[in-house]
Amino acid sequence: MQKFFFLFVGAILFISCQDPVEVDLLVVNANVYTVDDTKPKATAFAIKDGKFLAVGSTEEILKNYISTNIVDADGKTIVPGLIDAHCHFYGLGLQQQKVDLRGTKSYDEVLDRILAFQKEKNVRFITGRGWDQNDWEVKEFPTKEKLDSLFPDTPVAVTRVDGHALLVNQKALDMAKITVNTKVDGGEILKKDGKLTGVLIDNPMRLIGAIVPGPRMQEQVQALKDAEKINFSYGLTTVDDAGLSPQVIALVDSLQKTGELNIRMYAMVSNVPDYVDHYLKKGVHKTDKLNVSSFKVYADGALGSRGAALKKPYSDHEGHHGAMVIGNDEFKELAKRLAGSPFQMNTHAIGDSANAVVMKTYYEVLQNKSDRRWRVEHAQVVAPEEFDILNDNLVMSVQPTHATSDMYWADERLGDERIKGAYAYKKLLEKTGKVALGTDYPVEQVSPFYTFYAAVARKDLKQYPDGGFQKENALTREETLKGMTIWAAYSNFEETEKGSITAGKFADFVILEDNIMEIEEDKIPNIKVKATYLDGKKVY
C-alpha cells in the first residue's frame, strides 16, 4: 500500500509539472452554451487540428493549454455552429441571379420588379421567385394578360414563394407546348373562362422547367459561393439541402475538396429515377464536409397554393382536396426499395392526408428495422390519428417560420378544428423526442434567429399576435437551440461529429452579439453574429 501511495503521489506531481499543451486556438472569457448535457455551460475551450480538444473554465483551459492565437470573447455568448435542417442552399444562390419577388404587396409590384430586373439584366428567359398572393389586397392567383402585354417575345416564369406554383406568360406556354388540352397528373393547370391563366401548380411546372435554360458552370459555382457567404453571416455552418442533382452534388464535392467551398452540407438527392438508380448503385458518400445518404421525395404540394393533400376538402374551396404528387403505389415501392438500402427517405408532407400516407408507409416498410431516422419534412398538418401512432423511429423536420407566415390565412384553408393539428411542433416533439429545425429558405428568410423567435414566441416580425399563435405548441429556448444544433445533427446521423461544443467534435461555433438564451423575447430576431468559425477557423 505504501509503495502504491508513493507511486500515486509521484504520478500526480509529474502530471502537475507537465508543460501546457500547445493548441491552434484558445477561446476564453465566453458565455458558452455547449448543448452537451454532460457539461451544459463553459467559459472557454481549446481547439487543435480543427476539433474541440477541451472544454471547461477559462482558468483551467489557460492553465493546461497555450496558443499564439487567443480569442477573448469578453463575455459574449457562444453556441455550436448552427444547422439548417431543411433549406435550398443551391436555390438560394441561384436566386441571387434572378428577380426577387419576396415581400411584394400586389401583382403590379411584381410586374414592376420584373420590368426593373429585365432593364438591368436583359436576360433571354426571365425567371424569379417569391410572390405570394396571400400578401396582396386581392388574394387571388394572378393571370398572365399583363405579362403578355409587357413581354410578348421574352418568356417569363416566376415561382410562388413556396415553390409549388408558377406564373408564366404566353410565350413560355407556347415554348413548352402547353394548351388548354394539356393534362398532367399531380397538380393543376389553372383555367378561367376556358382559357389558360398562366398559373401552373406542382407537377405541370416541370413542363416549363424543361425549357428554362440551365445555369452555366460559372453561374453554378458563383451560386454556391454566394449562398455560402450568406449562410456564414448568419452563423450557419451546416446546411441540409432538400433536393439536388448528382451533377450539383459532384460540383459541391469538388469545390469542397479544393477549398473553394467550405460549408458542410447534408445533400438530399432529388427523387428522379436515374438519380435514385445512380446513388443506390454508388452507395452512401460521406466526407467531413459532405453527406450524401438520403433522398428527397415529394408527397404533396403546399397549403398556400392549395396543393397540399387533405383528408377532407379545403374549408375555403368546396370539393377541393389538393393532390398527391406521387402515386401511393409508387411511393410505397420506392419506400420498400430504400428500406433495403442504407439511405434515408426524407419526404415532403404538408396536408394531413399526405402525412398519413407517409407515416403509415414508413412504419410498414421499416418494421423490425431500428434507428433508420427517416424524416418527414414539414409535417405541417397532422390528424389526431397520426399523432397517436408517432414514435421516435421517425424524425420530424419542421420550419417554425412557416407557422408565423401562414397564420394569417391557414385557418381559412383548414377550419377551426383541423388547424389545431397544424404547426404543432411541441406536440411533435413530445411524440418523437426530437425535432430538427430549419427555415426552408428561400421560401422563408435565411436568418436562424427568425426561426428561433418563431419557435419560442410563435410571432412574426411585427410581434403579431399578442400571446403568440397557438402558443401551446411553442418550444422552449433550450429545445429550440437543440433543434438547430444537436437534434438537427442527429437527423443527419452526424451527432457524434457536430451539434455541440464537445471535445472530439468539429470546432464549429458562433459568437453572438447578444445572449440568445436570456435576451428579451421580442429582441431575438435582431441578434447579430459577431463571428462564425468552421474547423476552428474564422469564416465570417
Side-chain angles (χ1 to χ4, degrees):
M1 283 294 293
Q2 188 177 29
K3 182 179 179 181
F4 175 79
F5 173 77
F6 284 117
L7 285 171
F8 177 75
V9 171
I12 294 297
L13 289 173
F14 175 76
I15 291 171
S16 65
C17 292
Q18 286 188 91
D19 292 333
V21 176
E22 186 169 355
V23 296
D24 300 322
L25 175 66
L26 291 176
V27 177
V28 298
N29 298 322
N31 175 38
V32 184
Y33 290 91
T34 67
V35 197
D36 182 336
D37 290 339
T38 65
K39 186 185 289 186
K41 291 298 298 293
T43 57
F45 47 81
I47 294 170
K48 188 173 179 60
D49 297 329
K51 294 187 177 181
F52 295 113
L53 182 63
V55 182
S57 69
T58 295
E59 181 181 10
E60 63 184 338
I61 293 296
L62 287 176
K63 179 181 178 181
N64 295 309
Y65 302 94
I66 58 172
S67 179
T68 57
N69 187 10
I70 300 177
V71 173
D72 186 335
D74 194 26
K76 294 293 186 186
T77 292
I78 294 180
V79 297
L82 300 176
I83 302 172
D84 193 317
H86 182 112
C87 66
H88 300 277
F89 178 85
Y90 178 57
L92 174 72
L94 290 176
Q95 181 62 49
Q96 309 311 304
Q97 304 168 16
K98 302 177 180 181
V99 58
D100 184 2
L101 301 175
R102 292 173 301 171
T104 47
K105 299 302 180 184
S106 67
Y107 184 29
D108 285 338
E109 188 178 352
V110 168
L111 297 171
D112 289 342
R113 288 203 196 179
I114 296 174
L115 280 167
F117 173 86
Q118 184 62 355
K119 183 178 181 181
E120 178 186 355
K121 304 290 187 181
N122 191 29
V123 298
R124 53 190 168 137
F125 198 124
I126 301 171
T127 58
R129 180 170 179 156
W131 61 269
D132 184 353
Q133 83 284 1
N134 293 308
D135 291 340
W136 304 344
E137 185 175 346
V138 179
K139 302 181 189 300
E140 296 177 357
F141 278 125
T143 55
K144 66 182 179 64
E145 287 80 12
K146 290 182 179 180
L147 268 185
D148 292 340
S149 64
L150 292 171
F151 304 100
D153 300 316
T154 304
V156 181
V158 288
T159 308
R160 190 180 182 277
V161 65
D162 59 12
H164 289 270
L166 187 66
L167 172 65
V168 301
N169 65 351
Q170 188 61 45
K171 180 66 175 180
L173 290 170
D174 291 343
M175 289 173 64
K177 299 180 180 178
I178 297 173
T179 71
V180 291
N181 297 316
T182 302
K183 304 289 185 184
V184 179
D185 292 332
E188 288 186 87
I189 299 174
L190 298 190
K191 305 178 187 69
K192 187 175 183 179
D193 300 326
K195 298 180 180 179
L196 296 174
T197 68
V199 174
L200 314 177
I201 297 175
D202 290 319
N203 285 354
M205 295 166 57
R206 297 174 185 172
L207 300 176
I208 298 294
I211 64 165
V212 176
R216 300 178 178 92
M217 180 61 70
Q218 184 178 355
E219 293 168 333
Q220 291 182 311
V221 172
Q222 191 60 49
L224 292 166
K225 290 182 176 180
D226 288 345
E228 177 181 75
K229 184 177 180 180
I230 294 168
N231 278 262
F232 280 161
S233 74
Y234 285 108
L236 290 160
T237 55
T238 295
V239 291
D240 293 11
D241 197 318
L244 291 173
S245 70
Q247 184 269 325
V248 173
I249 292 171
L251 178 60
V252 169
D253 196 20
S254 66
L255 292 173
Q256 288 174 334
K257 286 176 178 175
T258 60
E260 295 177 78
L261 194 72
N262 291 299
I263 198 163
R264 304 189 201 280
M265 182 182 292
Y266 168 89
M268 307 182 205
V269 182
S270 295
N271 176 34
V272 175
D274 289 347
Y275 300 175
V276 176
D277 292 343
H278 172 78
Y279 274 103
L280 287 183
K281 182 178 180 180
K282 177 183 175 71
V284 167
H285 178 71
K286 181 75 170 69
T287 71
D288 286 351
K289 295 285 178 70
L290 181 62
N291 183 352
V292 188
S293 59
S294 65
F295 291 96
K296 167 68 183 302
V297 183
Y298 282 95
D300 64 344
L303 196 63
S305 51
R306 296 190 185 88
L310 300 178
K311 293 185 176 186
K312 295 180 180 179
Y314 279 76
S315 297
D316 61 352
H317 201 295
E318 186 176 351
H320 182 71
H321 289 77
M324 294 287 285
V325 297
I326 187 171
N328 287 4
D329 291 341
E330 181 186 351
F331 181 74
K332 190 170 182 177
E333 285 305 309
L334 177 61
K336 286 180 179 178
R337 191 177 178 194
L338 297 185
S341 80
F343 284 84
Q344 287 172 277
M345 188 173 190
N346 303 341
T347 307
H348 162 117
I350 300 288
D352 55 5
S353 180
N355 273 289
V357 170
V358 171
M359 292 177 189
K360 289 174 182 176
T361 301
Y362 277 12
Y363 285 130
E364 182 177 341
V365 303
L366 294 178
Q367 282 184 352
N368 304 318
K369 297 179 185 289
S370 61
D371 199 33
R372 291 302 304 268
R373 304 185 199 180
W374 280 18
R375 296 169 42 157
V376 182
E377 306 294 330
H378 310 306
Q380 204 158 298
V381 187
V382 180
E385 53 269 32
E386 272 64 65
F387 275 116
D388 289 341
I389 67 171
L390 270 177
N391 62 39
D392 62 4
N393 201 29
L394 304 187
V395 175
M396 301 293 111
S397 171
V398 299
Q399 302 76 45
T401 47
H402 282 336
T404 53
S405 293
D406 297 357
M407 64 183 173
Y408 291 93
W409 47 263
D411 58 339
E412 296 175 6
R413 298 276 197 279
L414 299 172
D416 293 340
E417 283 303 311
R418 198 161 39 185
I419 192 70
K420 295 176 183 177
Y423 317 97
Y425 309 136
K426 187 74 165 188
K427 194 169 182 180
L428 291 171
L429 173 60
E430 290 170 348
K431 289 289 186 177
T432 61
K434 298 176 182 68
V435 286
L437 302 183
T439 60
D440 202 14
Y441 72 63
V443 176
E444 303 284 357
Q445 299 294 318
V446 179
S447 175
F449 309 112
Y450 295 176
T451 300
F452 201 102
Y453 182 60
V456 302
R458 303 280 286 197
K459 296 178 185 179
D460 66 11
L461 298 181
K462 300 174 185 176
Q463 300 178 13
Y464 176 85
D466 289 340
F469 169 66
Q470 297 188 169
K471 191 64 183 290
E472 68 276 10
N473 273 299
L475 304 177
T476 67
R477 296 195 196 204
E478 291 76 13
E479 291 164 348
T480 302
L481 185 58
K482 285 184 175 182
M484 300 167 72
T485 53
I486 194 65
W487 290 345
Y490 173 89
S491 76
N492 301 346
F493 282 91
E494 294 178 334
E495 73 277 13
T496 61
E497 62 189 53
K498 65 178 72 164
S500 66
I501 296 174
T502 303
K505 292 190 178 185
F506 294 131
D508 302 347
F509 63 95
V510 188
I511 305 177
L512 303 176
E513 292 285 4
D514 296 289
N515 186 346
I516 195 169
M517 304 304 283
E518 294 183 1
I519 193 174
E520 184 180 331
E521 190 175 74
D522 288 339
K523 292 182 179 179
I524 291 173
N526 300 319
I527 289 175
K528 304 297 183 188
V529 170
K530 183 177 177 65
T532 303
Y533 285 77
L534 188 89
D535 289 328
K537 298 175 183 176
K538 186 187 287 190
V539 292
Y540 172 78

